[in-house]
Amino acid sequence: MKKNDTFTAACSGYNGDGAGVVRNDGFVFFVPGLLENEEAEIGITALKKNYGFGRIVRLIKPSIHRVTPICDVYRLCGGCQLMHMDHEEQCRFKEEKLKMCFRQNADMEIEPSPIMTAEPYFNYRNKVQIPVQVNQGKIEMGFYQSHTNKIIPFTTCYAESKLSNQIVNTLQTLFAKYHCASAMRHVLIKHAHVTGEVMVVFIVREYPFDGKDQLCQYLLQQYPQIKSLSVIVNKRTDNVILDGKEILIAGRPWIEEELLGSKFRISARSFYQINPYTTPLLYQTAIDFAGLTKNDVLVDMYCGTGTMGIIASKYCKKVFGIEIVPDAVKDARKNAEINHVENIEFLNADAGQGAQRIIRSKLKVDAMIVDPPRKGCAKDTLDAMVKIAPKKLVYVSCDPATLARDVAYLTKCGYVAQKIQPADMFPNTLHVETVALLTRTN
């Protein structure tokens, strides 16, 4: 076998990236876009020592779960990797991916609950970050092609909201009209789907930029939903985006959203869950898993702007939120004030350092909710969590591989996984969110 050779094979399953798995003469090939049980003529695109990659030359027997992607730049963009699958197959893939991650990273066989979903499956994102480039005099706004710095322009992104799409297209016209595209690095749009409020942030190389007043005036007149308009002056040369001085142009430095009966302020740099339709299911599941009573003390690790802890506060005696980002802690304290929550306290600290402060206080913690970034928890943080020794530990994860790794470690330290609940927070993509309940055995 060599590159560009072809062979015919049937797909037996998927790898973690959603590519179809086929075998030829005992050799494994990964074929993007191929669905399980499909038969196709495969062209070899690359060969490694123990495996290879292929492409679909001709589809011989298509799957009943194959659909035509509605996005014009689906293959080039690579953001919505599963758009060729119907939603039923996407959910099955994500459940199997979760099982596979536990098998490979924790040596555990699990049977998760059926994945939680909520419509709509398109136009659901409440946040979009669009890079801006000027290439040979042409303004390019779109998303980076996978593993490149090449922008794939679009007119409609089916992941972001329809209003965000309209604003992006308007901005591209305005950048051309007022000759200010070269000052732009990114445009950040946050759209609160429940309240309808919108935030627009220009990440710029210089400020003020040409045509600022006319551009902003037109934008605010055209879109009265924009309640916050600002710039972040970023002079860095790396790919860190939201760094630099923030300057408010119009409105307020935050927008407001509602979730499970509470109100939350969202600022430019603060984290807020991306999917406003699945998030209520996710958060309520995490709180239900914690099984809180009116006498319980809860620690909310990686608490962000305090959403989970504030919602959970009505079920327990006291909540301690731990968060490293100062702006997020500032928002969290304001959110507690807005919602008249008095039984919550926020610590501005790294997760591990915050946990050590809890240990030194000798506080008896009944339950803990952790919602770490994609890389999961550091070992010292896990050790501190074990030392705090909550009876119930609820782990909210956006990466099943690091979740499995951390669950395996916690299992060795006296915890057992009781429930594992996946959620489809990112339809049409590879990503799967998961809530795991671990209870202390000794």
Side-chain angles (χ1 to χ4, degrees):
M1 291 185 296
K2 61 183 184 299
K3 187 177 178 179
N4 297 325
D5 281 356
T6 62
F7 62 91
T8 299
C11 178
S12 60
Y14 304 108
N15 70 357
D17 293 328
V21 177
V22 300
R23 287 172 172 80
N24 184 46
D25 290 336
F27 208 70
V28 176
F29 287 88
F30 303 114
V31 185
L34 190 64
L35 300 188
E36 186 170 331
N37 297 321
E38 287 188 330
E39 185 179 345
E41 181 182 354
I42 309 297
I44 298 173
T45 57
L47 283 170
K48 306 293 182 181
K49 184 177 180 180
N50 298 314
Y51 61 93
F53 293 94
R55 63 180 179 85
I56 301 172
V57 175
R58 180 171 58 94
L59 198 57
I60 299 169
K61 179 187 172 185
S63 167
I64 60 171
H65 297 292
R66 177 172 289 279
V67 294
T68 302
I70 59 176
C71 178
D72 294 337
V73 294
Y74 159 68
R75 291 197 179 280
L76 289 173
C77 171
C80 297
Q81 307 94 340
L82 306 183
M83 203 179 270
H84 59 289
M85 298 181 183
D86 64 18
H87 191 252
E88 178 186 350
E89 185 71 354
Q90 288 185 30
C91 289
R92 191 179 72 84
F93 160 75
K94 292 180 182 187
E95 290 173 356
E96 292 301 317
K97 177 176 180 175
L98 181 59
K99 293 178 186 178
M100 180 174 64
C101 285
F102 268 83
R103 196 175 297 125
Q104 293 177 345
N105 295 284
D107 195 24
M108 294 171 62
E109 291 293 335
I110 63 166
E111 193 55 49
S113 300
I115 192 168
M116 297 187 298
T117 67
E119 294 190 67
Y121 304 136
F122 297 98
N123 303 114
Y124 59 86
R125 285 184 64 98
N126 56 21
K127 172 190 171 185
V128 60
Q129 206 161 266
I130 307 287
V132 183
Q133 287 182 0
V134 180
N135 188 4
Q136 295 181 341
K138 182 181 178 182
I139 300 171
E140 295 179 340
M141 294 180 67
F143 297 118
Y144 290 121
Q145 189 174 12
S146 295
H147 311 298
T148 74
N149 288 321
K150 180 182 178 182
I151 288 180
I152 304 300
F154 66 85
T155 53
T156 301
C157 172
Y158 292 93
E160 67 187 69
S161 71
K162 293 179 181 179
L163 180 57
S164 294
N165 275 304
Q166 292 169 11
I167 294 172
V168 170
N169 288 324
T170 298
L171 285 173
Q172 185 153 2
T173 301
L174 293 175
F175 291 162
K177 181 177 181 179
Y178 295 112
H179 310 288
C180 57
S182 60
M184 301 291 161
R185 297 186 61 167
H186 286 78
V187 174
L188 169 66
I189 301 172
K190 295 189 177 186
H191 177 197
H193 287 219
V194 178
T195 64
E197 294 188 356
V198 173
M199 168 185 287
V200 177
V201 183
F202 301 122
I203 293 87
V204 298
R205 295 178 175 84
E206 58 192 46
Y207 185 80
F209 50 82
D210 290 344
K212 173 192 74 87
D213 293 339
Q214 301 95 314
L215 184 152
C216 293
Q217 183 180 5
Y218 180 88
L219 192 66
L220 293 167
Q221 288 175 347
Q222 190 76 6
Y223 299 101
Q225 304 95 324
I226 298 176
K227 305 301 180 184
S228 176
L229 181 61
S230 62
V231 299
I232 292 177
V233 184
N234 186 338
K235 297 183 180 295
R236 296 176 66 128
T237 56
D238 55 19
N239 60 359
V240 176
I241 298 168
L242 300 182
D243 184 63
K245 184 179 180 181
E246 186 173 342
I247 303 169
L248 183 67
I249 298 175
R252 32 181 162 81
W254 46 268
I255 55 174
E256 191 171 270
E257 182 61 306
E258 296 176 6
L259 175 62
L260 291 174
S262 298
K263 296 179 180 180
F264 296 99
R265 288 186 178 182
I266 305 168
S267 61
R269 303 179 215 252
S270 63
F271 171 78
Y272 194 83
Q273 289 286 355
I274 293 295
N275 188 327
Y277 307 99
T278 312
T279 296
L281 302 177
L282 181 81
Y283 278 21
Q284 193 61 60
T285 297
I287 292 167
D288 290 346
F289 277 9
L292 299 169
T293 71
K294 288 297 183 180
N295 295 319
D296 284 346
V297 173
L298 169 70
V299 170
D300 180 14
M301 197 90 78
Y302 308 92
C303 70
T305 56
T307 47
M308 189 90 73
I310 288 169
I311 294 167
S313 66
K314 67 186 77 168
Y315 302 103
C316 61
K317 180 181 178 181
K318 181 75 176 182
V319 180
F320 291 90
I322 299 172
E323 171 59 45
I324 191 173
V325 180
D327 283 354
V329 173
K330 182 180 176 182
D331 285 347
R333 288 171 179 152
K334 192 65 183 179
N335 285 332
E337 181 184 326
I338 291 168
N339 289 285
H340 310 291
V341 175
E342 297 180 351
N343 62 333
I344 193 166
E345 185 178 328
F346 295 101
L347 310 178
N348 185 194
D350 166 81
Q353 295 170 345
Q356 289 296 335
R357 287 170 65 177
I358 297 291
I359 292 169
R360 288 194 297 272
S361 73
K362 297 183 179 179
L363 181 72
K364 180 182 178 294
V365 175
D366 301 285
M368 181 181 291
I369 297 175
V370 298
D371 187 0
R374 191 169 299 279
K375 64 182 180 181
C377 298
K379 183 179 178 297
D380 64 333
T381 302
L382 292 171
D383 289 337
M385 288 158 52
V386 171
K387 194 164 185 179
I388 292 171
K391 291 179 291 185
K392 294 185 178 180
L393 202 165
V394 180
Y395 194 129
V396 182
S397 168
C398 59
D399 188 322
T402 54
L403 170 66
R405 179 201 68 199
D406 291 351
V407 167
Y409 187 82
L410 290 166
T411 300
K412 294 176 183 177
C413 297
Y415 281 85
V416 60
Q418 299 280 6
K419 299 178 183 178
I420 297 177
Q421 174 65 69
D424 188 21
M425 288 286 285
F426 313 99
N428 303 305
T429 78
L430 298 171
H431 306 297
V432 54
E433 196 94 3
T434 310
V435 186
L437 168 64
L438 296 96
T439 56
R440 196 180 72 230
T441 58
N442 53 53

